[in-house]
Amino acid sequence: IKNIAVFTSGGDSPGMNAAIRAVVRTSLHYNLNVFGIQRGYDGMVNGDIFPMDAKSVANIIQRGGTILKTARSKEFRTVEGRQQAYEQIRKFQIDGLVAIGGDGTFTGAAKFIEEHDIPVMGLPGTIDNDLAGTDFTIGYDTAINTVISAVDKIRDTAESHDRLFIIEVMGRDSGLIALRSGIGTGAEAILIPESATNSKALLEKLAHGRKDKSSKIVLVAEGDEEGGAFAIAELVKKHFPNYDTRVSILGHIQRGGSPTCMDRVLASRLGVAAVEALLAGRKGEMAGVINGDIAFTPFNKAIKHIDSLTPSLLKIVDILS
Ligand code: F6P
């Protein structure tokens, strides 16, 4: 391998820049040429590819977002789009790719490898933490810290007014943002797509739970099947008209901001590991960290996420709230 290209794809996450920096600097360390691709697979299809050097990743480790920009590409989902992308990268003689993103990114990468002879290694870049093969994804730690600082503020006003807040957090298919930030903020209940905890259980808890708390926080993952924070609030209002209930949707603030040290270090370790893996002849795998050690997981396994900790974390919420 002589020429590596790096790109970010799907929803951005804090720490992607630290990962780009690590990929670029590691490539240079091993005397490889390194290119950036703009806007993920869209940029690959359109040939938005440019050479990078040590300076082009200076002063970015602390910045949220991604300097390479990102997109969810429609064209790359077609055979023709992927063919065009392959022709573009061949023009630059790129013979190794590092893809930073989530399940959509790796699904695309797996197809690309199947159809074209190009090694791709992946880095888990998503705030959702919904990938198998790594204990944590790049951006998750920052996102849950953003959530707890927002929920702590809401708790102040909820306590002053004796209110119940239904707070919706991100996580399209996964409740892991809701789960850990729920434990971290002492939420009374958490509604997530992975569990049978549903609105009935919430109503039970409100009816029979502790009566000595003046404020109540319920965290709802946006992927919960029962219709999001407003639907849950309507239900609560119907059954508990005496509660002064409010809704807050945290939204995209969860995707921005300066990455935490944990995310910067994770991104740096994985960026180095991905380039070294390409040099060692690996392909079609995501680099992750499991129990402190670097681990490689094939893309088709990485996208099938089931978090084995979820039931025990849910139990903690129940015991402690
Ligand atoms: O995958 C990350 C994520 O933030 C999800 O939690 C959320 O459902 C989705 O991206 C939102 O995507 P968009 O910014 O395209 O609306």
Side-chain angles (χ1 to χ4, degrees):
I1 289 187
K2 290 202 163 53
N3 302 307
I4 285 187
V6 57
F7 62 97
T8 48
S9 160
D12 61 349
S13 71
M16 278 185 163
N17 281 327
I20 295 166
R21 171 180 177 271
V23 171
V24 169
R25 297 246 167 113
T26 309
S27 302
L28 297 172
H29 174 80
Y30 288 110
N31 296 318
L32 305 169
N33 297 312
V34 57
F35 295 84
I37 302 176
Q38 300 264 20
R39 295 186 176 78
Y41 291 118
D42 270 351
M44 210 187 286
V45 174
N46 298 319
D48 292 335
I49 299 170
F50 65 99
M52 296 183 85
D53 57 20
K55 179 88 178 100
S56 53
V57 290
N59 208 12
I60 65 166
I61 194 169
Q62 76 279 26
R63 283 167 57 191
T66 158
I67 60 159
L68 291 178
K69 298 190 179 287
T70 187
R72 303 187 203 273
S73 174
K74 284 203 180 105
E75 271 180 294
F76 197 78
R77 283 181 210 155
T78 66
V79 175
E80 298 75 30
R82 290 191 290 274
Q83 176 64 35
Q84 201 176 319
Y86 182 70
E87 283 160 23
Q88 294 289 5
I89 59 171
R90 288 309 305 157
K91 274 191 207 163
F92 292 83
Q93 296 179 326
I94 288 163
D95 46 13
L97 289 168
V98 178
I100 308 170
D103 49 3
T105 307
F106 299 155
T107 305
K111 286 221 169 80
F112 200 44
I113 296 172
E114 226 174 83
E115 293 165 2
H116 302 285
D117 185 25
I118 175 97
V120 188
M121 286 300 295
L123 297 189
T126 165
I127 62 164
D128 292 349
N129 205 34
D130 59 347
L131 292 167
T134 192
D135 292 338
F136 299 108
T137 56
I138 299 163
Y140 176 65
D141 186 59
T142 307
I144 54 180
N145 277 291
T146 300
V147 171
I148 65 166
S149 93
V151 175
D152 286 350
K153 292 185 173 97
I154 293 173
R155 179 70 88 173
D156 289 345
T157 172
E159 188 72 12
S160 306
H161 286 264
D162 294 337
R163 279 178 172 160
L164 183 153
F165 268 85
I166 315 277
I167 303 173
E168 187 176 299
V169 299
M170 276 185 162
R172 197 177 18 211
D173 309 306
S174 162
L176 287 174
I177 293 179
L179 197 47
R180 281 207 175 70
S181 37
I183 293 173
T185 53
E188 276 58 50
I190 296 172
L191 303 188
I192 60 173
E194 293 93 334
S195 92
T197 313
N198 52 22
S199 49
K200 262 196 198 148
L202 170 65
L203 297 177
E204 281 282 301
K205 178 132 200 194
L206 293 177
H208 304 296
R210 279 176 55 195
K211 297 280 179 278
D212 58 343
K213 282 189 127 179
S214 55
S215 67
K216 293 191 189 322
I217 299 286
V218 175
L219 285 191
V220 183
E222 66 173 336
D224 187 66
E225 279 147 25
E226 290 169 283
F230 281 105
I232 301 293
E234 280 316 305
L235 197 72
V236 170
K237 280 183 194 163
K238 209 172 107 200
H239 287 81
F240 299 94
N242 293 339
Y243 281 154
D244 194 4
T245 302
R246 293 288 188 280
V247 169
S248 182
I249 297 188
L250 298 188
H252 285 78
I253 61 161
Q254 294 162 91
R255 284 237 300 262
S258 178
T260 59
C261 187
M262 291 301 276
D263 275 330
R264 296 181 199 191
V265 173
L266 178 66
S268 302
R269 282 187 78 188
L270 295 181
V272 174
V275 174
E276 289 183 343
L278 279 174
L279 287 172
R282 304 190 83 105
K283 65 174 178 180
E285 295 173 326
M286 183 195 82
V289 168
I290 300 178
N291 293 332
D293 293 326
I294 299 287
F296 298 103
T297 304
F299 286 141
N300 57 4
K301 287 210 175 119
I303 60 182
K304 293 193 184 109
H305 174 72
I306 297 173
D307 186 73
S308 55
L309 273 181
T310 298
S312 59
L313 294 180
L314 273 173
K315 192 175 153 205
I316 289 175
V317 178
D318 242 13
I319 294 174
L320 298 185
S321 65

